[in-house]
Amino acid sequence: KNEVEQSPQNLTAQEGEFITINCSYSVGISALHWLQQHPGGGIVSLFMLSSGKKKHGRLIATINIQEKHSSLHITASHPRDSAVYICAVLGGGADGLTFGKGTHLIIQP
Amino acid sequence: DAGITQSPRHKVTETGTPVTLRCHQTENHRYMYWYRQDPGHGLRLIHYSYGVKDTDKGEVSDGYSVSRSKTEDFLLTLESATSSQTSVYFCATLAGRERNQPQHFGDGTRLSIL
């Protein structure tokens, strides 16, 4: 069973700051997902990656397969980025994602 | 997102009653999943399906059963609901196991067992 650890669990920052959320996992994977969940809301897929780096707007996700580690970065953070960010990994079988417990991010104006 | 509809969106029921949650998708995705989300645990896999009539257990399957008689529908049943099954339930789909396929989530069902 893959163990997925995220850090930090909670993060409060000021608008404009550069944000980094980390994710590590214990067993090799076929893909890693970064998800976003707003309070009371659904879950949105931000990135899916199996190697290297992806960028979408102010969000950047990187993965190091050898180190079993991924990071999600937010540049020029904004209060609307406030949400729970969840790391999840997909193994090689037919079963579903294994999730981290999430990072609760609050961006203050 | 990806045409996933969960019903009902909210339900309150009593201990011991049967409950069925429905997930309907319009994208013809092969794989479907049921997860539950609880404080302190994050999301955990209950059951999944890799095709019509093909299902298997996930991490927290005790007390739950599923059925998939059509590609578009995946039903989750609590035969005799208990208070420990109070949770938010999410359905998700995946088109294929290829590395570039994102997983799509429904909006969730908030279930309270009194």
Side-chain angles (χ1 to χ4, degrees):
Chain A
K1 180 180 181 290
N2 218 332
E3 302 293 334
V4 181
E5 298 289 337
Q6 281 186 242
S7 63
Q9 292 184 8
N10 298 283
L11 178 58
T12 299
Q14 296 298 121
E15 182 173 357
E17 287 189 36
F18 182 82
I19 303 299
T20 295
I21 300 170
N22 295 299
C23 174
S24 61
Y25 52 93
S26 58
V27 179
I29 61 172
S30 62
L32 182 142
H33 295 243
W34 281 104
L35 309 166
Q36 181 192 56
Q37 185 176 29
H38 283 284
I43 299 168
V44 176
S45 179
L46 298 175
F47 294 103
M48 190 190 65
L49 62 165
S50 55
S51 65
K53 176 180 175 178
K54 287 189 176 180
K55 184 175 188 291
H56 184 258
R58 295 180 294 104
L59 301 178
I60 303 166
T62 65
I63 188 169
N64 184 319
I65 295 296
Q66 288 73 28
E67 297 289 326
K68 295 186 176 64
H69 182 269
S70 176
S71 293
L72 176 68
H73 306 285
I74 304 174
T75 62
S77 58
H78 189 276
R80 64 176 174 266
D81 297 325
S82 299
V84 177
Y85 292 84
I86 303 169
C87 170
V89 299
L90 188 67
D95 57 349
L97 294 168
T98 302
F99 298 82
K101 293 182 180 179
T103 295
H104 188 195
L105 175 66
I106 297 174
I107 305 296
Q108 295 178 334
Chain B
D1 188 8
I4 300 173
T5 304
Q6 290 187 231
S7 59
R9 293 293 314 281
H10 303 271
K11 186 173 182 67
V12 180
T13 191
E14 294 183 347
T15 301
T17 59
V19 177
T20 295
L21 308 183
R22 180 181 185 237
C23 178
H24 178 78
Q25 57 126 339
T26 60
E27 298 295 319
N28 201 37
H29 286 175
R30 177 182 175 187
Y31 298 89
M32 297 186 76
Y33 306 88
W34 277 107
Y35 298 99
R36 61 178 288 176
Q37 185 176 37
D38 304 289
H41 290 279
L43 285 142
R44 292 176 292 174
L45 180 66
I46 306 171
H47 280 280
Y48 62 98
S49 170
Y50 45 96
V52 173
K53 298 190 188 305
D54 292 322
T55 64
D56 208 343
K57 297 178 179 180
E59 179 187 355
V60 289
S61 60
D62 287 349
Y64 302 95
S65 63
V66 290
S67 66
R68 191 167 179 203
S69 58
K70 299 184 290 185
T71 298
E72 57 266 35
D73 289 324
F74 192 32
L75 303 180
L76 177 70
T77 297
L78 292 66
E79 299 290 349
S80 178
T82 68
S83 58
S84 65
Q85 294 176 310
T86 292
S87 186
V88 181
Y89 292 84
F90 286 94
C91 174
T93 70
L94 184 66
R97 298 296 292 189
E98 295 79 13
R99 292 180 180 183
N100 61 347
Q101 296 287 341
Q103 188 152 116
H104 303 276
F105 290 83
D107 290 332
T109 293
R110 188 171 296 273
L111 178 63
S112 296
I113 314 294
L114 304 179

